Each structure stands twice: as structure tokens, then as C-alpha cells.
Amino acid sequence: MAESDDTDLLFKALADPSRRKLLDLLHAHDGRTLSELCKHLDMTRQGVTQHLDALQAANMVTTVRRGREKLHFLNPVPLQEIYERWIAKFEKPRLKALSDLKKRLEKSNG
């Protein structure tokens, strides 16, 4: 799959509030079963499964079988890649400006 397709899947996955809630739940406690995740969402088991499938397609959630259970884990790598590509480059100039301002203020007060 092309990089732009992966990015599209990621942004589509993040666009849904239920999917973001699933990511928050996995961030708080990784390795949850479908049943554990369903307890926190007001939707059918099938609905939660569809949201998890979208997160898996975007490579944001991975699963591991443990006996009859399927555990869901957060994969933060795609989010880090989005941060590096879309957020960090916009933060650098502002952070440098704040650092420069701090240095100037410290010089004038010192």
C-alpha cells in the first residue's frame, strides 16, 4: 500500500470519536479483550469490532491471541510518524522563538 493510502487510513481512523476512545482505553491499559473494550462503549459488540478493524487497518492496533482470547494492543508508531511529519516541524520555530525570548529576558534581568 502506498504511503498516502496509509496516511489516509490513519487520519480516517482518528476522525471517529469512538475510535479515539478505543485508543485512549488501550493507552490506559494495553492488552484488552473485545469484551473489556465493549464495557466502555455504548454500542454493539459488532460495532466495536468494526472500529477495531479500522484501527488495525491503519496499523494503530495490533492483536495477539492468548488461548481463545484475542488481546488488543496500541501501536503508537503511526502516531509518532504523524507527529514527526505534521506537528513537530510546525513546533520547532515556535519553540526556538520561546527559547530566544527566555534568553533575552534572562539577559535583561541579569
Side-chain angles (χ1 to χ4, degrees):
M1 188 177 289
E3 181 183 335
S4 63
D5 292 341
D6 291 344
T7 303
D8 290 347
L9 286 173
L10 181 61
F11 279 115
K12 285 177 187 176
L14 289 172
D16 187 280
S18 296
R19 292 183 193 134
R20 292 192 304 269
K21 183 168 184 171
L22 284 167
L23 293 173
D24 287 339
L25 291 168
L26 291 173
H27 180 264
H29 177 59
D30 230 359
R32 293 186 192 219
T33 63
L34 176 60
S35 296
E36 291 170 331
L37 293 168
C38 286
K39 291 177 188 175
H40 300 280
L41 292 164
D42 188 25
M43 65 178 64
T44 65
R45 188 174 174 91
Q46 182 181 6
V48 174
T49 299
Q50 289 174 347
H51 285 298
L52 286 169
D53 287 346
L55 291 169
Q56 280 184 270
N59 198 29
M60 296 178 69
V61 170
T62 59
T63 60
V64 174
R65 286 253 178 224
R66 184 181 67 189
R68 295 175 60 160
E69 292 181 318
K70 187 175 177 182
L71 303 178
H72 299 83
F73 293 89
L74 178 63
N75 177 16
V77 173
L79 290 173
Q80 179 63 32
E81 291 170 350
I82 290 296
Y83 172 79
E84 289 170 1
R85 180 168 179 202
W86 296 100
I87 298 169
K89 68 181 175 185
F90 297 107
E91 282 184 346
K92 273 185 185 174
R94 280 184 279 201
L95 293 174
K96 180 163 179 10
L98 287 173
S99 176
D100 292 346
L101 176 62
K102 180 179 180 271
K103 287 175 188 172
R104 284 196 309 269
L105 290 171
E106 288 171 347
K107 277 184 182 177
S108 66
N109 290 332

